[in-house]
Amino acid sequence: MKKYILAGAVMALAASQVQAQITIPTINIPMIAGVHPAQYDPFWALPGKAGTMGADVGLANGDLSAIGDASDVFVMGKYSVNDKIEVGARATLGFLAGDNADAFRSVVAGAKYGLGEKSALGVNLLVPVGEAEDPGLSIAYMQNMATGGINWNNQFQVGLLDGYAAKGINLHLFLEPNKAFGAKAVGYLDIIVNTNTDDIGGDPLGINLAPNVDYKLNDKMTLNAGVSLGLAGDGKQADPGIGITLLYLCAK
């Protein structure tokens, strides 16, 4: 029943033409199905032009065999205050995350500050509501570059405070080669490395892979879909997962 409710919500959203974001420099801690839990924006994206508004609704699953019991449903909104500053927030819901999950799991709010055309700083606060008993703080440096004919989105992020790191400091490296295929599709190969300063090469270390695709539905709406799997390390993702997101971007 849960699965049918979710499918109906996604179809209703598409039918109402909630329009989305396609960013050729885009996606978009562990990492589950291409989604960044420790920041408000689920995908890699630099701040937009002043007045740009964006919204996402999606599902991030960490166990393909249990979609109805191991998935987060999230809703995100963001707004570019000017050409350099973007603010946003994301709420995560747990009605598909199993019997032990709260219906309202967490809220992350934050901002990005553009350092130039191809780089930015991001700051995110995990609000102590829902399942989050303690606040968390993450700080990220984002950079876009091109080499060998391939576009790369890169990010280094640290997680602080008890909400993100009960001890030590969480370290998160995100590398994303991506390539456009025609006018409507962009393919991404997300490489995610997570660890903690308390034991950098030990139990917290995990390397995951999350290939995903953006498909442009119209000028403002994009569908992103992908899979994720653990590659190496004790902290890798245990089971294959999937993700699907509708993204909206409306430039002023």
Side-chain angles (χ1 to χ4, degrees):
M1 186 64 176
K2 293 178 180 178
K3 299 176 186 178
Y4 294 117
I5 292 171
L6 178 64
V10 172
M11 290 175 66
L13 181 66
S16 65
Q17 292 296 293
V18 175
Q19 301 168 322
Q21 166 187 8
I22 189 166
T23 9
I24 294 207
T26 246
I27 4 192
N28 170 211
I29 304 180
M31 184 94 166
I32 298 177
V35 174
H36 299 262
Q39 59 192 47
Y40 71 87
D41 201 332
F43 303 107
W44 194 103
L46 295 172
K49 297 293 184 181
T52 298
M53 295 183 292
D56 297 353
V57 58
L59 176 147
N61 165 258
D63 183 353
L64 189 55
S65 66
I67 292 178
D69 292 305
S71 301
D72 283 339
V73 176
F74 58 86
V75 179
M76 185 277 295
K78 61 182 180 179
Y79 177 73
S80 293
V81 179
N82 54 42
D83 287 349
K84 286 185 174 292
I85 298 175
E86 175 186 283
V87 295
R90 174 164 52 132
T92 300
L93 310 177
F95 61 88
L96 291 179
D99 294 338
N100 294 326
D102 289 350
F104 182 75
R105 304 198 75 181
S106 65
V107 172
V108 178
K112 301 174 193 170
Y113 180 78
L115 300 175
E117 292 184 359
K118 296 187 176 184
S119 61
L121 285 176
V123 178
N124 304 272
L125 175 67
L126 174 66
V127 182
V129 296
E131 293 182 13
E133 297 181 357
D134 300 297
L137 177 67
S138 72
I139 302 170
Y141 174 70
M142 309 167 65
Q143 183 185 48
N144 171 257
M145 60 183 292
T147 179
I150 300 294
N151 191 59
W152 288 76
N153 300 323
N154 306 313
Q155 177 173 289
F156 179 70
Q157 181 171 284
V158 298
L160 307 166
L161 306 182
D162 286 348
Y164 283 143
K167 55 183 179 180
I169 298 171
N170 277 350
L171 305 177
H172 173 86
L173 177 64
F174 174 76
L175 305 172
E176 184 181 65
N178 57 87
K179 186 174 178 61
F181 297 93
K184 291 192 173 184
V186 183
Y188 306 93
L189 184 62
D190 298 359
I191 304 161
I192 311 102
V193 182
N194 298 307
T195 190
N196 184 281
T197 57
D198 191 62
D199 187 9
I200 288 179
D203 291 345
L205 177 63
I207 303 173
N208 299 324
L209 188 70
N212 59 99
V213 176
D214 276 352
Y215 184 78
K216 187 176 181 180
L217 301 176
N218 58 40
D219 287 343
K220 296 180 180 180
M221 186 166 66
T222 298
L223 179 68
N224 177 274
V227 299
S228 60
L229 63 154
L231 290 184
D234 291 339
K236 69 181 180 182
Q237 183 174 314
D239 300 292
I242 61 169
I244 183 167
T245 306
L246 280 171
L247 306 98
Y248 164 85
L249 185 68
C250 180
K252 188 173 180 181

